[in-house]
Amino acid sequence: SGVRENLTYERFGGAIRDLAQTIADDGYEPDIVLSIARGGVFVAGGLAYALDCKNIHLVNVEFYTGVGTTLEMPVMLAPVPNAIDFSEKKVLIADDVADTGKTLKLVHDFCQGTVAEVRSAVIYEKSQSLVKCEYVWKRTDDWINFPWSVEPPVVRRENQVLDA
Ligand code: 5GP
């Protein structure tokens, strides 16, 4: 319960264009967009098209188990990307939200040392985040409803009985 920030698919489209424009205006031209699954996949796809970057990588991180309930620390799930792929590359990490910032920090630390440069882009950043992202569309401290996860997974329906 409490106040919610509601992102619709319609607002998401404009948010991604705005975020990409900010990145382009800043002169950052990533070689690779590294998405944090699953929410960051939507963000990474939109940013990669808008920034004309054809190289998307993906890392699976598990942290949240429900509204405001988390594991103790986020964990990278297999398959973990090969750091060799990022060597000397300009990487843009893409995620839906930096909340505690622990997820982004994990992925940021994973990149550090091997990449030429790494920056982060998120739709939302909360004030408590221990990572300050270079590119943020909107700041909020409310729980966010994302269009891809606001509804429960679909369940299989019974076969329709066809009338003769
Ligand atoms: P963090 O590690 O920054 O605390 O959280 C990262 C991940 O937790 C996000 O990528 C997202 O999947 C989930 N998360 C954190 N805050 C919210 C929120 O307000 N709403 C939703 N739907 N997911 C969130």
Side-chain angles (χ1 to χ4, degrees):
S1 51
V3 185
R4 298 289 174 102
E5 163 77 16
N6 266 299
L7 186 70
T8 61
Y9 275 115
E10 199 173 350
R11 287 180 69 223
F12 166 70
I16 288 299
R17 290 296 299 188
D18 288 350
L19 194 54
Q21 190 64 62
T22 306
I23 296 165
D25 290 345
D26 197 39
Y28 194 55
E29 297 179 350
D31 302 303
I32 292 174
V33 178
L34 176 58
S35 64
I36 306 180
R38 291 171 288 177
V41 172
F42 297 89
V43 181
L47 288 180
Y49 267 109
L51 296 171
D52 200 21
C53 173
K54 294 186 170 133
N55 205 343
I56 298 184
H57 286 243
L58 183 152
V59 60
N60 283 286
V61 179
E62 175 145 299
F63 192 21
Y64 279 74
T65 52
V67 175
T69 59
T70 65
L71 305 170
E72 202 167 305
M73 284 299 293
V75 286
M76 268 179 149
L77 305 178
V80 172
N82 191 336
I84 303 259
D85 295 336
F86 304 134
S87 63
E88 303 307 308
K89 295 289 196 319
K90 279 183 282 172
V91 174
L92 180 70
I93 300 173
D95 206 357
D96 46 7
V97 49
D99 188 322
T100 63
K102 287 180 181 174
T103 300
L104 268 157
K105 186 178 186 308
L106 178 76
V107 177
H108 199 276
D109 289 352
F110 171 80
C111 290
Q112 281 291 9
T114 146
V115 303
E117 194 172 357
V118 57
R119 299 187 188 178
S120 301
V122 290
I123 308 179
Y124 294 102
E125 186 177 276
K126 303 194 183 179
S127 53
Q128 66 166 350
S129 177
L130 57 91
V131 167
K132 302 301 166 200
C133 297
E134 283 81 2
Y135 308 110
V136 176
W137 178 66
K138 189 176 173 184
R139 293 170 201 287
T140 183
D141 285 326
D142 300 327
W143 183 261
I144 306 143
N145 284 338
F146 289 103
W148 41 85
S149 54
V150 69
E151 292 183 87
V154 295
V155 291
R156 189 183 182 184
R157 290 173 293 199
E158 294 303 317
N159 287 331
Q160 301 290 310
V161 177
L162 299 173
D163 290 327

mmCIF file of all heavy atoms in Angstrom, residues 1-9 11-12 15 39 43 64 66-68 95-100 122-129 136-151:
data_model
loop_
_atom_site.group_PDB
_atom_site.id
_atom_site.type_symbol
_atom_site.label_atom_id
_atom_site.label_comp_id
_atom_site.label_asym_id
_atom_site.label_seq_id
_atom_site.Cartn_x
_atom_site.Cartn_y
_atom_site.Cartn_z
ATOM 1 N N SER A 1 0.833 -1.197 0.000
ATOM 2 C CA SER A 1 0.000 0.000 0.000
ATOM 3 C C SER A 1 0.873 1.255 0.000
ATOM 4 O O SER A 1 2.089 1.175 -0.023
ATOM 5 C CB SER A 1 -0.923 -0.001 1.210
ATOM 6 O OG SER A 1 -0.156 -0.232 2.378
ATOM 7 N N GLY A 2 0.240 2.414 0.041
ATOM 8 C CA GLY A 2 0.979 3.667 -0.066
ATOM 9 C C GLY A 2 0.877 4.237 -1.462
ATOM 10 O O GLY A 2 0.235 3.663 -2.330
ATOM 11 N N VAL A 3 1.524 5.370 -1.654
ATOM 12 C CA VAL A 3 1.487 6.037 -2.955
ATOM 13 C C VAL A 3 2.264 5.221 -3.984
ATOM 14 O O VAL A 3 3.310 4.666 -3.682
ATOM 15 C CB VAL A 3 2.094 7.460 -2.845
ATOM 16 C CG1 VAL A 3 1.952 8.214 -4.157
ATOM 17 C CG2 VAL A 3 1.445 8.225 -1.710
ATOM 18 N N ARG A 4 1.726 5.147 -5.185
ATOM 19 C CA ARG A 4 2.408 4.433 -6.261
ATOM 20 C C ARG A 4 2.707 5.383 -7.412
ATOM 21 O O ARG A 4 1.920 6.260 -7.718
ATOM 22 C CB ARG A 4 1.536 3.285 -6.814
ATOM 23 C CG ARG A 4 1.196 2.200 -5.817
ATOM 24 C CD ARG A 4 2.404 1.357 -5.483
ATOM 25 N NE ARG A 4 2.076 0.415 -4.417
ATOM 26 C CZ ARG A 4 1.823 -0.881 -4.613
ATOM 27 N NH1 ARG A 4 1.849 -1.378 -5.824
ATOM 28 N NH2 ARG A 4 1.548 -1.673 -3.608
ATOM 29 N N GLU A 5 3.838 5.148 -8.027
ATOM 30 C CA GLU A 5 4.164 5.817 -9.289
ATOM 31 C C GLU A 5 3.758 4.846 -10.388
ATOM 32 O O GLU A 5 4.248 3.724 -10.435
ATOM 33 C CB GLU A 5 5.669 6.118 -9.327
ATOM 34 C CG GLU A 5 6.233 6.441 -10.678
ATOM 35 C CD GLU A 5 5.931 7.857 -11.159
ATOM 36 O OE1 GLU A 5 5.536 8.701 -10.329
ATOM 37 O OE2 GLU A 5 6.079 8.107 -12.368
ATOM 38 N N ASN A 6 2.856 5.270 -11.252
ATOM 39 C CA ASN A 6 2.368 4.373 -12.304
ATOM 40 C C ASN A 6 2.968 4.695 -13.665
ATOM 41 O O ASN A 6 2.677 5.740 -14.234
ATOM 42 C CB ASN A 6 0.841 4.470 -12.395
ATOM 43 C CG ASN A 6 0.176 3.392 -11.569
ATOM 44 O OD1 ASN A 6 0.364 2.195 -11.827
ATOM 45 N ND2 ASN A 6 -0.562 3.807 -10.559
ATOM 46 N N LEU A 7 3.783 3.792 -14.154
ATOM 47 C CA LEU A 7 4.325 3.957 -15.504
ATOM 48 C C LEU A 7 3.495 3.092 -16.441
ATOM 49 O O LEU A 7 3.359 1.903 -16.216
ATOM 50 C CB LEU A 7 5.794 3.535 -15.564
ATOM 51 C CG LEU A 7 6.500 3.795 -16.898
ATOM 52 C CD1 LEU A 7 6.711 5.286 -17.118
ATOM 53 C CD2 LEU A 7 7.841 3.067 -16.964
ATOM 54 N N THR A 8 2.935 3.711 -17.476
ATOM 55 C CA THR A 8 2.206 2.945 -18.491
ATOM 56 C C THR A 8 3.146 2.688 -19.666
ATOM 57 O O THR A 8 4.189 3.319 -19.776
ATOM 58 C CB THR A 8 0.997 3.752 -19.008
ATOM 59 O OG1 THR A 8 1.499 4.960 -19.605
ATOM 60 C CG2 THR A 8 0.036 4.091 -17.878
ATOM 61 N N TYR A 9 2.767 1.772 -20.546
ATOM 62 C CA TYR A 9 3.573 1.548 -21.754
ATOM 63 C C TYR A 9 3.641 2.831 -22.588
ATOM 64 O O TYR A 9 4.651 3.114 -23.218
ATOM 65 C CB TYR A 9 2.992 0.397 -22.589
ATOM 66 C CG TYR A 9 3.483 -0.959 -22.137
ATOM 67 C CD1 TYR A 9 2.601 -1.904 -21.604
ATOM 68 C CD2 TYR A 9 4.827 -1.312 -22.251
ATOM 69 C CE1 TYR A 9 3.055 -3.146 -21.198
ATOM 70 C CE2 TYR A 9 5.288 -2.552 -21.849
ATOM 71 C CZ TYR A 9 4.401 -3.473 -21.322
ATOM 72 O OH TYR A 9 4.849 -4.705 -20.915
ATOM 73 N N ARG A 11 3.600 6.052 -21.502
ATOM 74 C CA ARG A 11 4.567 6.982 -20.911
ATOM 75 C C ARG A 11 5.987 6.429 -21.028
ATOM 76 O O ARG A 11 6.950 7.176 -21.133
ATOM 77 C CB ARG A 11 4.226 7.240 -19.433
ATOM 78 C CG ARG A 11 3.002 8.118 -19.222
ATOM 79 C CD ARG A 11 2.736 8.331 -17.735
ATOM 80 N NE ARG A 11 3.750 9.151 -17.086
ATOM 81 C CZ ARG A 11 4.279 8.888 -15.884
ATOM 82 N NH1 ARG A 11 3.910 7.823 -15.205
ATOM 83 N NH2 ARG A 11 5.164 9.698 -15.358
ATOM 84 N N PHE A 12 6.118 5.113 -20.999
ATOM 85 C CA PHE A 12 7.416 4.465 -21.122
ATOM 86 C C PHE A 12 8.085 4.848 -22.450
ATOM 87 O O PHE A 12 9.280 5.148 -22.498
ATOM 88 C CB PHE A 12 7.237 2.946 -21.019
ATOM 89 C CG PHE A 12 8.426 2.142 -21.445
ATOM 90 C CD1 PHE A 12 9.583 2.129 -20.689
ATOM 91 C CD2 PHE A 12 8.379 1.388 -22.611
ATOM 92 C CE1 PHE A 12 10.682 1.379 -21.091
ATOM 93 C CE2 PHE A 12 9.472 0.641 -23.016
ATOM 94 C CZ PHE A 12 10.630 0.641 -22.254
ATOM 95 N N ALA A 15 9.462 8.284 -22.146
ATOM 96 C CA ALA A 15 10.550 8.292 -21.153
ATOM 97 C C ALA A 15 11.855 7.814 -21.784
ATOM 98 O O ALA A 15 12.917 8.404 -21.566
ATOM 99 C CB ALA A 15 10.180 7.405 -19.963
ATOM 100 N N GLY A 39 13.603 -6.351 -15.833
ATOM 101 C CA GLY A 39 13.059 -5.025 -16.123
ATOM 102 C C GLY A 39 13.928 -4.185 -17.032
ATOM 103 O O GLY A 39 13.428 -3.420 -17.863
ATOM 104 N N VAL A 43 14.167 -1.366 -21.117
ATOM 105 C CA VAL A 43 14.906 -0.108 -21.162
ATOM 106 C C VAL A 43 16.063 -0.215 -22.162
ATOM 107 O O VAL A 43 16.270 0.674 -22.997
ATOM 108 C CB VAL A 43 15.436 0.248 -19.753
ATOM 109 C CG1 VAL A 43 16.192 1.560 -19.765
ATOM 110 C CG2 VAL A 43 14.284 0.288 -18.755
ATOM 111 N N TYR A 64 14.625 -8.740 -5.711
ATOM 112 C CA TYR A 64 13.290 -8.539 -5.128
ATOM 113 C C TYR A 64 12.437 -9.791 -5.228
ATOM 114 O O TYR A 64 12.361 -10.421 -6.267
ATOM 115 C CB TYR A 64 12.570 -7.366 -5.806
ATOM 116 C CG TYR A 64 13.042 -6.043 -5.243
ATOM 117 C CD1 TYR A 64 14.292 -5.540 -5.583
ATOM 118 C CD2 TYR A 64 12.276 -5.351 -4.323
ATOM 119 C CE1 TYR A 64 14.762 -4.362 -5.035
ATOM 120 C CE2 TYR A 64 12.735 -4.169 -3.772
ATOM 121 C CZ TYR A 64 13.976 -3.676 -4.126
ATOM 122 O OH TYR A 64 14.433 -2.526 -3.577
ATOM 123 N N GLY A 66 9.203 -9.560 -3.739
ATOM 124 C CA GLY A 66 7.853 -9.022 -3.647
ATOM 125 C C GLY A 66 7.935 -7.522 -3.481
ATOM 126 O O GLY A 66 9.016 -6.947 -3.579
ATOM 127 N N VAL A 67 6.788 -6.862 -3.218
ATOM 128 C CA VAL A 67 6.772 -5.414 -3.032
ATOM 129 C C VAL A 67 7.578 -5.071 -1.783
ATOM 130 O O VAL A 67 7.168 -5.370 -0.664
ATOM 131 C CB VAL A 67 5.330 -4.871 -2.898
ATOM 132 C CG1 VAL A 67 5.349 -3.379 -2.588
ATOM 133 C CG2 VAL A 67 4.543 -5.124 -4.169
ATOM 134 N N GLY A 68 8.753 -4.497 -1.959
ATOM 135 C CA GLY A 68 9.585 -4.082 -0.832
ATOM 136 C C GLY A 68 10.287 -5.198 -0.088
ATOM 137 O O GLY A 68 10.965 -4.940 0.902
ATOM 138 N N ASP A 95 18.778 -0.177 -16.595
ATOM 139 C CA ASP A 95 17.840 -0.857 -15.706
ATOM 140 C C ASP A 95 16.593 0.002 -15.542
ATOM 141 O O ASP A 95 16.579 1.177 -15.917
ATOM 142 C CB ASP A 95 18.497 -1.162 -14.353
ATOM 143 C CG ASP A 95 17.853 -2.368 -13.659
ATOM 144 O OD1 ASP A 95 16.866 -2.923 -14.197
ATOM 145 O OD2 ASP A 95 18.328 -2.764 -12.589
ATOM 146 N N ASP A 96 15.557 -0.594 -14.967
ATOM 147 C CA ASP A 96 14.302 0.141 -14.790
ATOM 148 C C ASP A 96 14.391 1.135 -13.639
ATOM 149 O O ASP A 96 13.948 2.275 -13.764
ATOM 150 C CB ASP A 96 13.110 -0.825 -14.609
ATOM 151 C CG ASP A 96 13.371 -1.953 -13.624
ATOM 152 O OD1 ASP A 96 14.436 -1.960 -12.946
ATOM 153 O OD2 ASP A 96 12.507 -2.842 -13.523
ATOM 154 N N VAL A 97 14.984 0.709 -12.508
ATOM 155 C CA VAL A 97 15.049 1.594 -11.331
ATOM 156 C C VAL A 97 16.259 1.287 -10.466
ATOM 157 O O VAL A 97 16.627 0.128 -10.290
ATOM 158 C CB VAL A 97 13.740 1.501 -10.489
ATOM 159 C CG1 VAL A 97 13.351 0.072 -10.200
ATOM 160 C CG2 VAL A 97 13.859 2.288 -9.177
ATOM 161 N N ALA A 98 16.881 2.344 -9.970
ATOM 162 C CA ALA A 98 17.873 2.195 -8.909
ATOM 163 C C ALA A 98 17.146 2.496 -7.607
ATOM 164 O O ALA A 98 16.770 3.633 -7.354
ATOM 165 C CB ALA A 98 19.028 3.169 -9.114
ATOM 166 N N ASP A 99 16.902 1.481 -6.806
ATOM 167 C CA ASP A 99 16.154 1.643 -5.549
ATOM 168 C C ASP A 99 17.151 1.708 -4.397
ATOM 169 O O ASP A 99 17.577 2.786 -3.994
ATOM 170 C CB ASP A 99 15.157 0.494 -5.407
ATOM 171 C CG ASP A 99 14.203 0.684 -4.235
ATOM 172 O OD1 ASP A 99 14.639 1.179 -3.193
ATOM 173 O OD2 ASP A 99 13.018 0.332 -4.351
ATOM 174 N N THR A 100 17.600 0.559 -3.890
ATOM 175 C CA THR A 100 18.724 0.588 -2.947
ATOM 176 C C THR A 100 20.014 0.867 -3.720
ATOM 177 O O THR A 100 20.995 1.340 -3.147
ATOM 178 C CB THR A 100 18.890 -0.766 -2.218
ATOM 179 O OG1 THR A 100 19.210 -1.766 -3.179
ATOM 180 C CG2 THR A 100 17.632 -1.155 -1.470
ATOM 181 N N VAL A 122 18.844 4.775 -15.980
ATOM 182 C CA VAL A 122 17.635 4.184 -15.395
ATOM 183 C C VAL A 122 16.445 5.106 -15.650
ATOM 184 O O VAL A 122 16.623 6.311 -15.829
ATOM 185 C CB VAL A 122 17.774 3.974 -13.864
ATOM 186 C CG1 VAL A 122 18.767 2.876 -13.534
ATOM 187 C CG2 VAL A 122 18.147 5.272 -13.156
ATOM 188 N N ILE A 123 15.265 4.532 -15.670
ATOM 189 C CA ILE A 123 14.067 5.377 -15.789
ATOM 190 C C ILE A 123 13.873 6.116 -14.466
ATOM 191 O O ILE A 123 13.627 7.312 -14.450
ATOM 192 C CB ILE A 123 12.810 4.538 -16.127
ATOM 193 C CG1 ILE A 123 13.055 3.655 -17.340
ATOM 194 C CG2 ILE A 123 11.623 5.473 -16.398
ATOM 195 C CD1 ILE A 123 11.862 2.786 -17.704
ATOM 196 N N TYR A 124 13.995 5.368 -13.355
ATOM 197 C CA TYR A 124 13.784 5.962 -12.033
ATOM 198 C C TYR A 124 14.991 5.769 -11.136
ATOM 199 O O TYR A 124 15.636 4.720 -11.177
ATOM 200 C CB TYR A 124 12.579 5.324 -11.331
ATOM 201 C CG TYR A 124 11.254 5.591 -11.986
ATOM 202 C CD1 TYR A 124 10.646 4.627 -12.779
ATOM 203 C CD2 TYR A 124 10.593 6.806 -11.791
ATOM 204 C CE1 TYR A 124 9.406 4.871 -13.372
ATOM 205 C CE2 TYR A 124 9.366 7.053 -12.376
ATOM 206 C CZ TYR A 124 8.783 6.077 -13.166
ATOM 207 O OH TYR A 124 7.560 6.330 -13.751
ATOM 208 N N GLU A 125 15.243 6.786 -10.299
ATOM 209 C CA GLU A 125 16.238 6.631 -9.239
ATOM 210 C C GLU A 125 15.625 7.135 -7.937
ATOM 211 O O GLU A 125 15.025 8.202 -7.897
ATOM 212 C CB GLU A 125 17.521 7.404 -9.556
ATOM 213 C CG GLU A 125 18.635 7.158 -8.535
ATOM 214 C CD GLU A 125 19.929 7.883 -8.901
ATOM 215 O OE1 GLU A 125 20.710 7.339 -9.707
ATOM 216 O OE2 GLU A 125 20.133 9.006 -8.395
ATOM 217 N N LYS A 126 15.771 6.335 -6.892
ATOM 218 C CA LYS A 126 15.270 6.734 -5.566
ATOM 219 C C LYS A 126 16.398 7.393 -4.781
ATOM 220 O O LYS A 126 17.573 7.119 -5.009
ATOM 221 C CB LYS A 126 14.693 5.517 -4.844
ATOM 222 C CG LYS A 126 13.576 4.874 -5.686
ATOM 223 C CD LYS A 126 12.739 3.880 -4.926
ATOM 224 C CE LYS A 126 11.703 3.248 -5.868
ATOM 225 N NZ LYS A 126 10.858 2.243 -5.206
ATOM 226 N N SER A 127 16.006 8.244 -3.822
ATOM 227 C CA SER A 127 17.012 9.066 -3.128
ATOM 228 C C SER A 127 17.972 8.230 -2.292
ATOM 229 O O SER A 127 19.109 8.630 -2.068
ATOM 230 C CB SER A 127 16.323 10.130 -2.266
ATOM 231 O OG SER A 127 15.378 9.533 -1.407
ATOM 232 N N GLN A 128 17.521 7.036 -1.867
ATOM 233 C CA GLN A 128 18.379 6.194 -1.017
ATOM 234 C C GLN A 128 19.445 5.436 -1.815
ATOM 235 O O GLN A 128 20.338 4.831 -1.221
ATOM 236 C CB GLN A 128 17.513 5.171 -0.269
ATOM 237 C CG GLN A 128 16.849 4.156 -1.190
ATOM 238 C CD GLN A 128 16.281 2.944 -0.451
ATOM 239 O OE1 GLN A 128 16.528 2.766 0.732
ATOM 240 N NE2 GLN A 128 15.511 2.119 -1.141
ATOM 241 N N SER A 129 19.363 5.487 -3.148
ATOM 242 C CA SER A 129 20.268 4.671 -3.962
ATOM 243 C C SER A 129 21.738 4.969 -3.678
ATOM 244 O O SER A 129 22.154 6.126 -3.697
ATOM 245 C CB SER A 129 19.992 4.884 -5.451
ATOM 246 O OG SER A 129 20.926 4.141 -6.217
ATOM 247 N N VAL A 136 19.167 9.664 -15.547
ATOM 248 C CA VAL A 136 17.932 9.330 -14.833
ATOM 249 C C VAL A 136 16.790 10.101 -15.475
ATOM 250 O O VAL A 136 16.906 11.302 -15.704
ATOM 251 C CB VAL A 136 18.041 9.733 -13.338
ATOM 252 C CG1 VAL A 136 16.719 9.477 -12.616
ATOM 253 C CG2 VAL A 136 19.189 9.000 -12.642
ATOM 254 N N TRP A 137 15.692 9.404 -15.761
ATOM 255 C CA TRP A 137 14.532 10.098 -16.341
ATOM 256 C C TRP A 137 13.738 10.824 -15.257
ATOM 257 O O TRP A 137 13.351 11.960 -15.415
ATOM 258 C CB TRP A 137 13.626 9.113 -17.093
ATOM 259 C CG TRP A 137 12.407 9.752 -17.675
ATOM 260 C CD1 TRP A 137 12.367 10.679 -18.684
ATOM 261 C CD2 TRP A 137 11.045 9.522 -17.288
ATOM 262 N NE1 TRP A 137 11.061 11.035 -18.949
ATOM 263 C CE2 TRP A 137 10.238 10.340 -18.107
ATOM 264 C CE3 TRP A 137 10.440 8.684 -16.336
ATOM 265 C CZ2 TRP A 137 8.840 10.354 -17.999
ATOM 266 C CZ3 TRP A 137 9.054 8.698 -16.234
ATOM 267 C CH2 TRP A 137 8.268 9.533 -17.061
ATOM 268 N N LYS A 138 13.496 10.132 -14.118
ATOM 269 C CA LYS A 138 12.679 10.723 -13.067
ATOM 270 C C LYS A 138 13.079 10.202 -11.697
ATOM 271 O O LYS A 138 13.414 9.035 -11.542
ATOM 272 C CB LYS A 138 11.184 10.385 -13.329
ATOM 273 C CG LYS A 138 10.220 11.123 -12.420
ATOM 274 C CD LYS A 138 8.775 10.842 -12.786
ATOM 275 C CE LYS A 138 7.853 11.467 -11.737
ATOM 276 N NZ LYS A 138 6.432 11.152 -11.987
ATOM 277 N N ARG A 139 13.038 11.088 -10.716
ATOM 278 C CA ARG A 139 13.326 10.700 -9.339
ATOM 279 C C ARG A 139 12.034 10.540 -8.552
ATOM 280 O O ARG A 139 11.123 11.344 -8.689
ATOM 281 C CB ARG A 139 14.224 11.757 -8.682
ATOM 282 C CG ARG A 139 15.596 11.793 -9.318
ATOM 283 C CD ARG A 139 16.459 12.960 -8.883
ATOM 284 N NE ARG A 139 17.506 13.177 -9.868
ATOM 285 C CZ ARG A 139 18.568 12.390 -10.025
ATOM 286 N NH1 ARG A 139 18.753 11.354 -9.211
ATOM 287 N NH2 ARG A 139 19.450 12.616 -10.974
ATOM 288 N N THR A 140 11.956 9.475 -7.778
ATOM 289 C CA THR A 140 10.787 9.235 -6.938
ATOM 290 C C THR A 140 11.208 8.381 -5.749
ATOM 291 O O THR A 140 12.228 7.699 -5.813
ATOM 292 C CB THR A 140 9.664 8.503 -7.710
ATOM 293 O OG1 THR A 140 8.518 8.365 -6.858
ATOM 294 C CG2 THR A 140 10.084 7.116 -8.154
ATOM 295 N N ASP A 141 10.435 8.443 -4.672
ATOM 296 C CA ASP A 141 10.663 7.535 -3.555
ATOM 297 C C ASP A 141 9.459 6.617 -3.357
ATOM 298 O O ASP A 141 9.409 5.851 -2.396
ATOM 299 C CB ASP A 141 10.978 8.325 -2.275
ATOM 300 C CG ASP A 141 12.408 8.878 -2.310
ATOM 301 O OD1 ASP A 141 13.292 8.195 -2.871
ATOM 302 O OD2 ASP A 141 12.630 9.987 -1.804
ATOM 303 N N ASP A 142 8.504 6.695 -4.282
ATOM 304 C CA ASP A 142 7.337 5.823 -4.207
ATOM 305 C C ASP A 142 7.636 4.462 -4.826
ATOM 306 O O ASP A 142 8.574 4.323 -5.608
ATOM 307 C CB ASP A 142 6.155 6.453 -4.969
ATOM 308 C CG ASP A 142 5.775 7.802 -4.388
ATOM 309 O OD1 ASP A 142 5.917 7.966 -3.161
ATOM 310 O OD2 ASP A 142 5.352 8.676 -5.169
ATOM 311 N N TRP A 143 6.829 3.453 -4.488
ATOM 312 C CA TRP A 143 6.929 2.170 -5.173
ATOM 313 C C TRP A 143 6.384 2.373 -6.578
ATOM 314 O O TRP A 143 5.366 3.028 -6.780
ATOM 315 C CB TRP A 143 6.157 1.065 -4.449
ATOM 316 C CG TRP A 143 6.319 -0.259 -5.133
ATOM 317 C CD1 TRP A 143 5.452 -0.852 -5.993
ATOM 318 C CD2 TRP A 143 7.453 -1.139 -5.048
ATOM 319 N NE1 TRP A 143 5.969 -2.040 -6.457
ATOM 320 C CE2 TRP A 143 7.197 -2.234 -5.890
ATOM 321 C CE3 TRP A 143 8.662 -1.097 -4.343
ATOM 322 C CZ2 TRP A 143 8.102 -3.292 -6.046
ATOM 323 C CZ3 TRP A 143 9.561 -2.154 -4.500
ATOM 324 C CH2 TRP A 143 9.276 -3.239 -5.337
ATOM 325 N N ILE A 144 7.089 1.842 -7.566
ATOM 326 C CA ILE A 144 6.727 2.047 -8.962
ATOM 327 C C ILE A 144 6.013 0.818 -9.513
ATOM 328 O O ILE A 144 6.482 -0.307 -9.337
ATOM 329 C CB ILE A 144 7.986 2.324 -9.812
ATOM 330 C CG1 ILE A 144 8.785 3.495 -9.221
ATOM 331 C CG2 ILE A 144 7.616 2.588 -11.264
ATOM 332 C CD1 ILE A 144 10.284 3.315 -9.332
ATOM 333 N N ASN A 145 4.891 1.058 -10.189
ATOM 334 C CA ASN A 145 4.251 -0.001 -10.963
ATOM 335 C C ASN A 145 4.770 0.101 -12.389
ATOM 336 O O ASN A 145 4.542 1.109 -13.062
ATOM 337 C CB ASN A 145 2.731 0.156 -10.974
ATOM 338 C CG ASN A 145 2.095 -0.267 -9.664
ATOM 339 O OD1 ASN A 145 2.682 -1.034 -8.898
ATOM 340 N ND2 ASN A 145 0.913 0.229 -9.408
ATOM 341 N N PHE A 146 5.490 -0.945 -12.839
ATOM 342 C CA PHE A 146 5.939 -0.985 -14.219
ATOM 343 C C PHE A 146 4.910 -1.738 -15.051
ATOM 344 O O PHE A 146 4.309 -2.702 -14.566
ATOM 345 C CB PHE A 146 7.307 -1.663 -14.318
ATOM 346 C CG PHE A 146 8.425 -0.829 -13.762
ATOM 347 C CD1 PHE A 146 8.963 -1.121 -12.508
ATOM 348 C CD2 PHE A 146 8.926 0.261 -14.467
ATOM 349 C CE1 PHE A 146 9.977 -0.341 -11.980
ATOM 350 C CE2 PHE A 146 9.947 1.047 -13.950
ATOM 351 C CZ PHE A 146 10.463 0.746 -12.696
ATOM 352 N N PRO A 147 4.722 -1.325 -16.314
ATOM 353 C CA PRO A 147 3.666 -1.958 -17.113
ATOM 354 C C PRO A 147 3.888 -3.444 -17.342
ATOM 355 O O PRO A 147 2.927 -4.198 -17.476
ATOM 356 C CB PRO A 147 3.687 -1.173 -18.435
ATOM 357 C CG PRO A 147 5.009 -0.479 -18.486
ATOM 358 C CD PRO A 147 5.407 -0.251 -17.055
ATOM 359 N N TRP A 148 5.165 -3.894 -17.341
ATOM 360 C CA TRP A 148 5.452 -5.303 -17.621
ATOM 361 C C TRP A 148 5.278 -6.199 -16.408
ATOM 362 O O TRP A 148 5.215 -7.410 -16.548
ATOM 363 C CB TRP A 148 6.860 -5.470 -18.191
ATOM 364 C CG TRP A 148 7.901 -4.621 -17.521
ATOM 365 C CD1 TRP A 148 8.597 -4.914 -16.381
ATOM 366 C CD2 TRP A 148 8.340 -3.334 -17.942
ATOM 367 N NE1 TRP A 148 9.442 -3.889 -16.071
ATOM 368 C CE2 TRP A 148 9.316 -2.900 -17.008
ATOM 369 C CE3 TRP A 148 8.012 -2.495 -19.018
ATOM 370 C CZ2 TRP A 148 9.963 -1.666 -17.114
ATOM 371 C CZ3 TRP A 148 8.654 -1.278 -19.115
ATOM 372 C CH2 TRP A 148 9.628 -0.870 -18.181
ATOM 373 N N SER A 149 5.219 -5.615 -15.200
ATOM 374 C CA SER A 149 5.114 -6.488 -14.026
ATOM 375 C C SER A 149 3.941 -6.150 -13.119
ATOM 376 O O SER A 149 3.789 -6.753 -12.066
ATOM 377 C CB SER A 149 6.423 -6.433 -13.227
ATOM 378 O OG SER A 149 6.764 -5.105 -12.896
ATOM 379 N N VAL A 150 3.107 -5.173 -13.530
ATOM 380 C CA VAL A 150 1.995 -4.768 -12.668
ATOM 381 C C VAL A 150 0.905 -5.840 -12.622
ATOM 382 O O VAL A 150 0.196 -5.977 -11.628
ATOM 383 C CB VAL A 150 1.428 -3.389 -13.087
ATOM 384 C CG1 VAL A 150 0.722 -3.453 -14.426
ATOM 385 C CG2 VAL A 150 0.526 -2.822 -12.004
ATOM 386 N N GLU A 151 0.816 -6.630 -13.689
ATOM 387 C CA GLU A 151 -0.190 -7.693 -13.707
ATOM 388 C C GLU A 151 0.482 -9.046 -13.486
ATOM 389 O O GLU A 151 1.631 -9.239 -13.884
ATOM 390 C CB GLU A 151 -0.937 -7.700 -15.043
ATOM 391 C CG GLU A 151 -1.821 -6.467 -15.211
ATOM 392 C CD GLU A 151 -2.621 -6.526 -16.500
ATOM 393 O OE1 GLU A 151 -3.712 -7.113 -16.478
ATOM 394 O OE2 GLU A 151 -2.133 -6.001 -17.509
#
